[in-house]
């Protein structure tokens, strides 16, 4: 059968995967968004269903006024002795912790903190012992993977942190994962930074504590030399063995907007590549060490069909699973119904690293049509925002000004906050907002109840890209309200991908 990448589209970075019974489970990082750490399940490794989040309570994660791309960094998801564990970093507070649950569809525990620094923590279970790894520095200040043994009940360190491996010399050594296979301990990591130089490297040892010998042909997986290729930044992987004994690597990557246009705004997504073990015990990954857009394989049964949801509405999504907030929401400002949404604004705006009245869904592909009816019942502003961070977002809204209503298009690009177009609509307090998205451009138009429609303008997608904005997130299609007297009702929301 043919597999098409990415297998999970949109801003779902840093995938980590485990298996319980005949089901695979996957977790991703979430940065400043809440709930934290999205979770997915699959029976076949290519069709993934969102099932919830690991961090659903304020007490589990501090997100108050964290900057964009702060907050929850890369998780590791593991299953051991009937229990799921998820360990991650709050990069803003510089704390590593883990939570656990016996029911992955239910609530997770309160956080248990580990006194070891670095990011991208990993948990490894063996013979009743638990080992914790993260990246860090050795006594000479060089990047290294650190390991200690912990008490899985209390999080207490039972051994000092010891250096395991310094990587291959690439910058930003991170994303450690440990595996035991056929008498070898494999330590896999990422190097090169989570941009165009990203890569997966690994080493092996006969001892859990090393020394580790690097794979002679590192990096084992990277697209760093594929100029003009859609998939870039391949790295940060996790291995899994399927029911048939085949090995795979799930990893992040991003799709640039054009062959020779090196910008990406959808965020880092989840990609899949095959892994093959050689007779000498080393493994290779991908297709000649790269990740491709689509590939044929006989590892997945022919009756399995890779499916993709193309239409997202209020009715066919779940608020607590598919949608997200900026940091911790003020619940009293949200009325979530099956077919509509009512938002009450505050003085907090989208330009602040705070919690404006905002709820969003990830943009999952380049070509899309977004439509939503917005009725503003009091003063203020409400509408759709294409949101990368507090300094980079396009706002398309209805607002009340001078005893009448108007539709506005505002472009926020760094320090430039420009109202691109304003169209008065008199006493009309309801409007249908329409956004057409392509690889390189968004187009904004609106329609009134009387059928009158007007295009307000366009904006380039690249100004919402990580290459312009910085950071590690992707565009969120957000619905928002601003001003303490603003109340708005949203209905007939449709996001359709071509």
């Amino acid at each position: 059968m043919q597999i098409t990448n990415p297998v999970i589209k949109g801003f779902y970075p840093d995938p980590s995967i485990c298996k319980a019974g005949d089901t695979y489970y996957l977790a991703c990082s979430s940065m400043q968004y809440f709930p934290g750490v999205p979770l997915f399940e699959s029976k076949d490794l290519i069709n993934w269903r969102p099932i919830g989040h690991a961090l659903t309570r304020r007490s589990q994660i501090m997100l108050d006024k964290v900057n964009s791309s702060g907050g929850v960094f890369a998780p590791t998801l593991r299953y051991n002795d009937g229990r799921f564990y998820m360990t991650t970093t709050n990069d803003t507070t510089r704390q590593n912790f883990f939570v656990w649950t016996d029911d992955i569809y239910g609530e997770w525990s309160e956080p248990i903190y580990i006194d070891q620094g670095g990011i991208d923590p990993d948990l490894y279970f063996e013979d009743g012992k638990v080992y914790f790894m993260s990246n860090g520095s050795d006594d000479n200040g060089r990047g290294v993977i650190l390991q200690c043994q912990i008490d899985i009940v209390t999080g207490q360190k039972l051994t000092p942190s010891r250096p395991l491996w310094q990587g291959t010399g690439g910058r930003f050594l991170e994303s450690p994962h440990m595996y035991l296979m056929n008498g070898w301990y494999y330590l896999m990591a990422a190097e090169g930074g989570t941009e165009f130089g990203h890569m997966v490297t690994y080493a092996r040892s006969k001892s859990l504590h090393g020394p580790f010998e690097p794979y002679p042909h590192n990096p084992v997986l990277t697209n760093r030399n594929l100029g003009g290729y859609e998939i870039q930044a391949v790295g940060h992987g996790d291995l899994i063995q399927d029911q048939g004994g085949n090995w795979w690597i799930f990893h992040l990557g991003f799709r640039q907007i054009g062959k020779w246009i090196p910008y990406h705004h959808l965020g880092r997504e989840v990609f899949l590549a095959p892994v093959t073990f050689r007779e000498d015990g080393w493994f290779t990954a991908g297709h000649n060490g790269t990740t491709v857009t689509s590939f044929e394989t006989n590892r997945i049964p022919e009756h399995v069909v890779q499916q993709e949801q193309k239409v997202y509405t209020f009715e066919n999504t779940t608020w607590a699973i598919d949608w997200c907030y900026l940091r911790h929401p003020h619940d009293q400002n949200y009325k979530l119904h099956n077919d509509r949404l009512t938002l009450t604004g505050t003085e907090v705006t989208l330009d602040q690293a705070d919690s404006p009245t905002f709820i969003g869904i990830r943009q999952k592909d380049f070509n899309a049509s977004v439509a939503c009816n917005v009725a503003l019942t009091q003063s203020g502003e409400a509408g759709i925002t294409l949101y990368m961070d507090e300094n980079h977002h396009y706002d398309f809204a209805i607002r009340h000004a001078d005893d009448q209503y108007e539709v506005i298009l505002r472009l926020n690009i760094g320090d430039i906050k420009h109202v691109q177009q304003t169209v008065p609509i008199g006493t009309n307090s309801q409007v249908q907002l329409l956004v057409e998205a392509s690889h390189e451009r968004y187009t904004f138009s609106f329609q009134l109840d009387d059928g009158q429609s007007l295009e307000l303008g366009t904006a380039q997608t690249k100004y919402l890209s990580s290459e312009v904005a910085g950071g590690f997130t992707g565009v969120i299609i957000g619905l928002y309200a601003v001003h303490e007297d603003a109340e708005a009702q949203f209905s007939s929301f449709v996001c359709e991908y071509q």
Side-chain angles (χ1 to χ4, degrees):
M1 70 163 297
Q2 185 176 68
I3 295 176
T4 300
N5 273 313
V7 292
I8 303 178
K9 292 184 174 182
F11 160 54
Y12 290 109
D14 308 318
S16 180
I17 186 171
C18 69
K19 182 172 64 175
D22 64 350
T23 305
Y24 307 94
Y25 298 94
L26 186 144
C28 296
S29 58
S30 50
M31 309 302 166
Q32 74 269 29
Y33 291 96
F34 185 82
V37 186
L39 302 171
F40 298 82
E41 71 171 6
S42 174
K43 295 289 188 180
D44 54 30
L45 293 176
I46 59 173
N47 293 299
W48 290 92
R49 182 177 74 92
I51 59 172
H53 299 78
L55 305 176
T56 58
R57 304 186 301 277
R58 288 174 177 265
S59 59
Q60 292 173 304
I61 184 68
M62 199 294 290
L63 292 177
D64 295 337
K65 298 184 179 179
V66 305
N67 289 328
S68 289
S69 293
V72 181
F73 272 30
T76 292
L77 184 65
R78 293 293 181 256
Y79 181 72
N80 182 71
D81 196 22
R83 178 166 288 180
F84 292 93
Y85 297 86
M86 188 284 297
T87 183
T88 187
T89 307
N90 186 334
D91 188 63
T92 300
T93 63
R94 306 304 294 180
Q95 291 175 301
N96 285 314
F97 66 93
F98 67 87
V99 292
W100 59 266
T101 185
D102 295 327
D103 177 11
I104 198 168
Y105 307 100
E107 289 291 310
W108 291 66
S109 73
E110 287 299 298
I112 300 170
Y113 295 93
I114 310 296
D115 185 20
Q116 179 170 294
I119 62 171
D120 299 356
D122 177 77
L123 288 175
Y124 175 74
F125 298 82
E126 182 178 276
D127 296 335
K129 297 180 180 180
V130 185
Y131 298 89
F132 179 88
M133 288 195 307
S134 60
N135 73 349
S137 300
D138 64 14
D139 294 338
N140 297 314
R142 294 173 297 187
V144 70
I145 301 302
L146 295 172
Q147 178 200 73
C148 66
Q149 184 183 342
I150 65 169
D151 183 326
I152 197 61
V153 176
T154 66
Q156 179 183 359
K157 286 176 64 174
L158 302 179
T159 65
S161 299
R162 60 175 70 89
L164 290 186
W165 187 46
Q166 294 179 354
T168 65
R171 65 175 183 163
F172 303 137
L173 177 64
E174 57 192 357
S175 178
H177 291 307
M178 185 77 77
Y179 316 90
L180 175 61
M181 295 172 284
N182 300 320
W184 288 99
Y185 291 92
Y186 294 85
L187 175 53
M188 195 166 69
E191 299 180 58
T194 187
E195 297 92 18
F196 288 89
H198 213 195
M199 54 184 172
V200 177
T201 61
Y202 76 97
R204 72 181 184 183
S205 173
K206 284 293 185 178
S207 168
L208 175 63
H209 311 301
F212 282 86
E213 174 192 5
Y215 172 52
H217 305 291
N218 273 321
V220 67
L221 188 68
T222 185
N223 282 17
R224 64 182 179 176
N225 295 320
L226 298 183
Y229 188 65
E230 180 184 46
I231 300 172
Q232 298 290 339
V234 165
H236 200 113
D238 200 4
L239 298 177
I240 193 72
Q241 188 177 31
D242 67 19
Q243 306 285 21
N246 305 298
W247 285 91
W248 302 86
I249 184 170
F250 282 79
H251 63 85
L252 69 78
F254 61 67
R255 291 176 287 163
Q256 63 183 34
I257 63 177
K259 184 175 182 179
W260 303 112
I261 310 176
Y263 298 89
H264 78 282
H265 63 286
L266 300 182
R268 298 171 300 160
E269 305 173 290
V270 180
F271 292 79
L272 174 63
V275 167
T276 302
F277 278 84
R278 306 186 324 200
E279 290 185 0
D280 59 6
W282 296 109
F283 65 82
T284 60
H287 297 79
N288 297 318
T290 67
T291 292
V292 296
T293 301
S294 63
F295 60 94
E296 292 285 341
T297 182
N298 60 7
R299 296 182 174 193
I300 304 292
E302 284 296 330
H303 69 269
V304 176
V305 178
Q306 188 173 9
Q307 299 175 331
E308 182 179 354
Q309 184 174 344
K310 291 289 190 179
V311 179
Y312 294 81
T313 67
F314 288 159
E315 292 82 359
N316 73 4
T317 57
T318 302
W319 294 113
I321 295 178
D322 300 288
W323 296 76
C324 60
Y325 304 92
L326 275 167
R327 306 167 188 90
H328 293 300
H330 301 288
D331 295 334
Q332 68 273 18
N333 296 325
Y334 301 82
K335 296 179 181 177
L336 311 175
H337 307 281
N338 181 56
D339 61 347
R340 65 190 186 283
L341 165 71
T342 303
L343 298 181
T344 300
T346 71
E347 291 303 314
V348 178
T349 72
L350 298 173
D351 297 336
Q352 297 170 256
D354 205 332
S355 184
T357 301
F358 165 105
I359 187 169
I361 193 167
R362 290 158 172 82
Q363 183 178 344
K364 299 178 186 297
D365 224 330
F366 296 110
N367 298 311
S369 299
V370 181
C372 189
N373 292 339
V374 184
L376 186 62
T377 58
Q378 299 183 39
S379 62
E381 174 182 315
I384 299 173
T385 181
L386 303 172
Y387 185 93
M388 171 57 84
D389 63 27
E390 53 264 24
N391 296 311
H392 301 83
H393 51 95
Y394 299 154
D395 309 330
F396 184 35
I398 179 174
R399 74 178 177 186
H400 187 264
D402 299 326
D403 295 325
Q404 67 171 357
Y405 294 91
E406 59 188 13
V407 177
I408 68 163
L409 173 61
R410 183 191 301 109
L411 309 183
N412 302 270
I413 305 170
D415 292 329
I416 302 172
K417 317 276 185 194
H418 177 63
V419 176
Q420 185 82 353
Q421 184 70 274
T422 302
V423 177
I425 56 174
T427 59
N428 288 281
S429 61
Q430 179 170 312
V431 65
Q432 183 185 44
L433 301 178
L434 304 164
V435 181
E436 293 289 331
S438 65
H439 284 68
E440 297 181 39
R441 191 167 293 277
Y442 295 106
T443 301
F444 304 88
S445 61
F446 72 92
Q447 184 169 316
L448 300 175
D449 287 341
D450 60 7
Q452 178 184 354
S453 62
L454 184 68
E455 181 178 310
L456 260 71
T458 68
Q460 295 183 61
T461 60
K462 73 177 183 179
Y463 294 114
L464 299 185
S465 70
S466 293
E467 288 70 31
V468 172
F472 311 119
T473 60
V475 168
I476 303 290
I477 302 167
L479 308 177
Y480 76 99
V482 175
H483 197 275
E484 61 182 357
D485 295 324
E487 184 173 293
Q489 185 169 106
F490 298 77
S491 59
S492 301
F493 175 86
V494 180
C495 177
E496 183 172 4
Y497 296 99
Q498 285 81 54

